[in-house]
Amino acid sequence: MGDIMGQTFSPGTVAEVIYQGGDIITMNCAAPTAEALAVKDGRILAVGSKEEVLKTRGNTTRIVDLGGKALLPGFLDAHSHFNNALQIVGWANVSPPPVGPVTDIPGLIATVKAHADRMKPEKGEWIIAYGYDANELHEKRDVTINDLDPVFPDNPVMLIHVSNHGAVLNSAGLAKADVTEKTETPAGGIIARLPGSNRPAGLLMETAFLPIFADMPQPAEEEKFASFKQAQLEYARNGYTTIQEGATNYADFVTIRKAAEKNLLFLDLVVLPMVTDLRQFSGENLDPAYRHRLKLGGVKLFGDGSPQGKTAYWSKPLLTRGPGGELAWCGEPTFPYETFAKMVAAVYATGARIYCHCNGDGAIDNLIKAFDEIGVKADQDRRDVVVHSQFVRDDQLDRYVEIGLTPSFFTNHVFFWGDIHVQNTGEERASFISPMAASKARGIRFSNHTDFSVTPLDPFMTIWTAITRQTRSGRVLGPDQCVDVLTALRALTLDAAWQYREEKTKGSLEACKLADLVIIDKNPLKVKPDDVRNLKVVETIKEGRSVYRREEQ
């Protein structure tokens, strides 16, 4: 019998593939590097020294020379919106650089018009764009109906806010959504008004947008099925082997389940049902094993909105006015506390894990209070996830330890909106955003994510923002919260797997685990910090099968 990293294998077992000739980063603390790795039947057969691993070689074994490239565990997407990947191909990209081309309002209008000219929508058909961010427009203001209506008089237009928590609509869009000057602003929502009037200006956020979002035009089911391969390829080209649909209504889940039963999934997909649809999901097992590569991982709750949209819920006022011009603005919770606490208790009663969207510390206070009322403690090992957890306070991290909460951070925010956060919240609060170092010091395990399509799926951008915390302007925001590359990698591999309760099968390169692998052009542990964001995925392998291979450049 041979022994490799504590695992045994039969001398008669023959590997299908052996990888060697590069840097193998295992993410296994007991043996962080290896010289070779063998795969059989979709699992890792052996990993360790070249001499030991080659004992699994047979006449049919394929030997892959990595050529100096790096082999790592496949990345786990801790939070994104797979449904957006299914639809985004039919939308205009109005994101600012480096994601899109838009820097001012005329450029935005031109981009949407060029898209409409290509798509040729029928009169009355929606024209949809994504990535809208007024913070990065030259004019430093929101687009209004006065900008959109002259160019788009016959079609409803929706510019989806970069946070996915709102949109700007033209007059035709507002009419289709039945939002008028008589429409009252709902609790937890924003309806921007034209100056000196009650007429909607176009911007709708949070609870004012949710009904419209739920009623958004959807491709036909067969069209969605046709998009599943390309949507998954967007993840696979970025090295992900496990992906997430992070806020799913029941109708979309039914479509996804049908696609899974048609064997259209080649990556593992974790779906998070929305708490508002909890009754419809009551007949489903909310934390099962994968079936046809699909599983329900828990239930998604919302504590607040987005910090860049000023709809997060903070315990102290912002230094700037609110999205509707409000003074001493702290934002608002998505739901009144009593309603929110009942939601938390209802999900807890099902035994399902909770994934709660909380950006501001006020929203996190509400979540902690709700858990305290139930009596949740860390020794229950529930691994409830605080999604984003951006403006968490230092004292709240101590409560995470006591309750057993695990954050999924969003360090890309530091680059994309860090400078904006300094303006809105001040240096001290902004510098503690996504505090990885403080969490690590407390022994808190955490993941990191892109929240696609809020930011690109690029994992190396996510690693780079975690290790450098550079903003768009080049400043380092909260240098004491920078982490090393290995910690940033764990947040996309082993610790992300732990959050999913899949650490026994994913997240590190160890014998008997799934052969979910990614080959990278260079070793991220050996390049300069600023070069990490330029790394490229060469190949992505799901359970021993190549699902993406980069074409030679």
Side-chain angles (χ1 to χ4, degrees):
M1 302 286 284
D3 184 74
I4 298 179
M5 290 193 179
Q7 299 288 342
T8 59
F9 63 92
S10 167
T13 304
V14 175
E16 295 168 2
V17 185
I18 292 176
Y19 295 90
Q20 62 178 33
D23 292 345
I24 298 177
I25 305 170
T26 70
M27 304 309 298
N28 175 9
C29 294
T33 62
E35 295 177 333
L37 180 143
V39 174
K40 182 176 176 59
D41 295 333
R43 291 188 176 264
I44 298 170
L45 175 63
V47 57
S49 69
K50 183 176 178 180
E51 178 184 1
E52 286 293 312
V53 172
L54 284 176
K55 292 178 181 177
T56 68
R57 182 178 186 176
N59 294 334
T60 59
T61 301
R62 181 167 61 94
I63 304 295
V64 175
D65 185 348
L66 293 169
K69 301 178 182 68
L71 179 70
L72 285 80
F75 298 130
L76 288 90
D77 161 38
H79 180 66
S80 74
H81 299 274
F82 176 71
N83 269 340
N84 284 3
L86 294 174
Q87 302 178 73
I88 210 168
V89 290
W91 297 347
N93 181 359
V94 295
S95 306
V99 182
V102 171
T103 58
D104 55 24
I105 292 175
L108 182 149
I109 300 293
T111 299
V112 177
K113 188 174 187 308
H115 172 77
D117 290 343
R118 288 193 303 272
M119 301 300 287
K120 296 181 171 54
E122 298 290 334
K123 184 176 181 178
E125 186 178 348
W126 280 99
I127 298 169
I128 300 177
Y130 71 95
Y132 168 74
D133 187 357
N135 291 312
E136 298 302 323
L137 294 175
H138 174 74
E139 295 82 355
K140 298 299 179 185
R141 68 168 176 85
D142 276 305
V143 174
T144 71
I145 56 175
N146 295 332
D147 302 305
L148 294 171
D149 287 357
V151 185
F152 307 102
D154 301 322
N155 290 85
V157 173
M158 181 184 296
L159 311 177
I160 298 176
H161 194 272
V162 68
S163 66
N164 283 336
H165 283 242
V168 171
L169 278 63
N170 66 347
S171 290
L174 291 167
K176 194 153 190 169
D178 197 25
V179 177
T180 71
E181 60 185 20
K182 296 181 180 179
T183 303
E184 294 185 6
T185 302
I190 298 290
I191 299 178
R193 313 282 177 169
L194 291 177
S197 77
N198 207 42
R199 188 180 176 193
L203 178 67
L204 309 175
M205 295 291 290
E206 305 305 334
T207 56
F209 174 64
L210 285 176
I212 298 165
F213 181 76
D215 197 37
M216 276 181 61
Q218 296 287 331
E221 191 170 75
E222 288 300 323
E223 288 182 55
K224 275 196 172 184
F225 290 158
S227 301
F228 264 72
K229 180 178 179 180
Q230 187 58 42
Q232 289 173 90
L233 278 174
E234 288 302 312
Y235 286 85
R237 75 175 71 254
N238 285 288
Y240 295 100
T241 50
T242 298
I243 63 179
Q244 186 184 108
E245 171 23 54
T248 316
N249 63 44
Y250 191 70
D252 284 338
F253 168 70
V254 170
T255 300
I256 292 171
R257 183 171 59 188
K258 287 180 182 178
E261 290 170 349
K262 290 175 176 286
N263 294 316
L264 297 182
L265 293 178
F266 56 82
L267 302 177
D268 288 342
L269 175 60
V270 180
V271 165
L272 302 181
M274 301 241 320
V275 67
T276 48
D277 284 8
L278 189 57
R279 288 185 180 179
Q280 291 171 280
F281 279 95
S282 61
E284 309 289 343
N285 187 340
L286 290 174
D287 204 1
Y290 287 96
R291 296 176 185 173
H292 305 288
R293 297 207 178 283
L294 174 67
K295 83 167 184 176
L296 299 177
V299 177
K300 182 66 175 293
L301 284 75
F302 287 89
D304 65 350
S306 74
Q308 71 270 40
K310 297 187 180 181
T311 56
Y313 181 40
W314 290 273
S315 63
K316 296 180 181 178
L318 298 183
L319 305 180
T320 55
R321 290 176 179 263
E326 301 89 347
L327 292 171
W329 178 249
C330 292
E332 295 178 315
T334 305
F335 303 101
Y337 176 73
E338 293 75 14
T339 302
F340 175 74
K342 288 179 181 177
M343 289 177 171
V344 172
V347 177
Y348 179 80
T350 69
R353 290 194 302 137
I354 290 171
Y355 285 74
C356 190
H357 168 116
C358 292
N359 273 307
D361 63 324
I364 295 170
D365 277 337
N366 280 348
L367 181 64
I368 290 172
K369 182 180 178 181
F371 273 115
D372 281 343
E373 290 175 356
I374 296 170
V376 179
K377 298 295 181 184
D379 59 10
Q380 293 176 248
D381 192 30
R382 285 181 48 83
R383 305 186 197 180
D384 295 298
V385 180
V386 190
V387 180
H388 307 322
S389 202
Q390 295 202 76
F391 282 87
V392 62
R393 301 189 306 269
D394 195 63
D395 64 290
Q396 290 174 329
L397 290 178
D398 292 331
R399 297 307 322 281
Y400 280 20
V401 173
E402 295 170 11
I403 296 170
L405 295 173
T406 171
S408 184
F409 288 127
F410 190 6
T411 59
N412 282 0
H413 245 267
V414 175
F415 173 78
F416 285 100
W417 299 286
D419 296 318
I420 299 297
H421 295 329
V422 171
Q423 295 175 24
N424 291 335
T425 68
E427 186 83 24
E428 183 178 354
R429 281 197 281 175
S431 294
F432 203 65
I433 192 171
S434 289
M436 284 189 169
S439 299
K440 182 180 178 181
R442 287 169 167 82
I444 296 172
R445 298 184 77 166
F446 51 81
S447 64
N448 200 5
H449 62 256
T450 67
D451 199 15
F452 176 81
S453 59
V454 176
T455 68
L457 282 169
D458 184 357
F460 306 115
M461 177 73 175
T462 304
I463 295 167
W464 177 78
T465 57
I467 65 175
T468 68
R469 295 180 66 90
Q470 289 185 30
T471 70
R472 285 181 185 269
S473 67
R475 71 188 295 173
V476 178
L477 186 61
D480 59 326
Q481 295 307 314
C482 293
V483 295
D484 59 88
V485 176
L486 195 61
T487 298
L489 281 170
R490 281 181 63 99
L492 296 181
T493 55
L494 189 57
D495 288 339
W498 178 87
Q499 275 190 347
Y500 278 139
R501 290 192 177 278
E502 297 186 48
E503 72 274 16
K504 293 182 180 179
T505 57
K506 297 177 181 176
S508 62
L509 304 182
E510 301 179 63
C512 300
K513 285 194 172 186
L514 295 176
D516 290 357
L517 316 170
V518 60
I519 300 174
I520 301 172
D521 60 346
K522 297 176 183 177
N523 184 341
L525 300 176
K526 293 182 177 180
V527 301
K528 296 178 180 179
D530 274 341
D531 291 335
V532 168
R533 66 187 298 188
N534 300 319
L535 295 173
K536 301 295 182 185
V537 169
V538 175
E539 186 173 6
T540 303
I541 298 142
K542 174 61 180 164
E543 294 177 31
R545 185 174 71 88
S546 179
V547 293
Y548 166 77
R549 186 177 287 110
R550 185 180 180 217
E551 295 181 7
E552 293 295 331
Q553 301 296 308

